Amino acid sequence: MLSCLTCFLLHRPLGPAPRGGEMVYIPDDSDFSSFRDQCENLEGWHCRYNKGGVTVWSQGQEESCTVQKIKTRISCKDVPAETLYDVLHDTHYRKKWDSNMIETYDIGRLTVNADVGYYSWKCPSPLKNRDFVTLRSWLPLGNDYIIINYSVKHPKYPPRKDFVRAVSLQTGYLIKANGTSACILYYLTQVDPRGSLPKWVVNRVSQFVAPKAMKKIYKAGLKYPEWKHKHDPQYKPWVYPEQNTLPSVSLDELSVQHADSLENIDETGLPEDHLNMSDNEA
């Protein structure tokens, strides 16, 4: 997850909309290939920001539309692709660098490279806090790595009164090796925040919040090797499935999270000058 405002229009670290719109399924090779193509193909994308090694694009929708598809890219010097892959998986390390996170945990495993998890984050006042339950899947592709997710419903984790349950329609990361000690990170997402947001929020995400969040992940990658060396360095269940002790979850327990079944709040009247951006400002 990036920061809270980014997640409104961008999303837990971290796929395609379910086939047929109804059945929960685990992404296959074609889904990962399609996601990589979306990250690398610029046709139909409009550049919204390009500065300091970070680029932000949006795709073919009006700025006033809340459910936008947004893509970001950052070049990460001195951070190998496998290191950034570990950073995006390691929930214990996320507590060190993701200051907007309230809570994140893995609910259960589906396969050796797919699980179900929960993520919630604090939004700057007066916006309401959001959370997700997602099916996440990942795949190493040579020296590149992909992590994708989409929202699902789990009977034991219904919407909570203290959060607005948002919906990830398509979200993920592509980490491309750039030599042996550097990489390029793409983040592509389409999220329904279940709220009517002011136009200025949409603009601020692409111009300030998304670049700031990508730089935060980059810095986390630079510091990760030293941190991991002191914190169970051999434990990486996303790399070594035999280390995974999560309870098994069956696809039959899950259903697709449809946005129209969730609360939709109206925050369009919130004035920009009353928003506390604090750590989210670039």
Side-chain angles (χ1 to χ4, degrees), residues 152-203:
V152 295
K153 290 198 297 185
H154 189 295
K156 294 182 179 179
Y157 300 90
R160 296 166 49 173
K161 293 182 179 179
D162 50 338
F163 291 101
V164 175
R165 178 63 50 88
V167 178
S168 169
L169 303 172
Q170 179 185 47
T171 298
Y173 299 95
L174 167 64
I175 309 166
K176 293 187 64 65
N178 187 15
T180 58
S181 60
C183 65
I184 297 172
L185 173 65
Y186 289 87
Y187 181 69
L188 186 153
T189 187
Q190 187 175 21
V191 164
D192 187 336
R194 299 314 296 149
S196 300
L197 303 176
K199 184 177 179 179
W200 58 261
V201 170
V202 180
N203 293 332

Side-chain angles (χ1 to χ4, degrees), residues 27 35 39 68 79 82-83 85 112 123 126 146 148 155 170 189 199 201 238:
F35 181 80
C39 288
Q68 292 197 3
V79 180
E82 60 268 24
T83 298
Y85 181 62
V112 294
C123 297
I146 297 177
I148 56 180
Q170 179 185 47
T189 187
K199 184 177 179 179
V201 170
W238 53 92

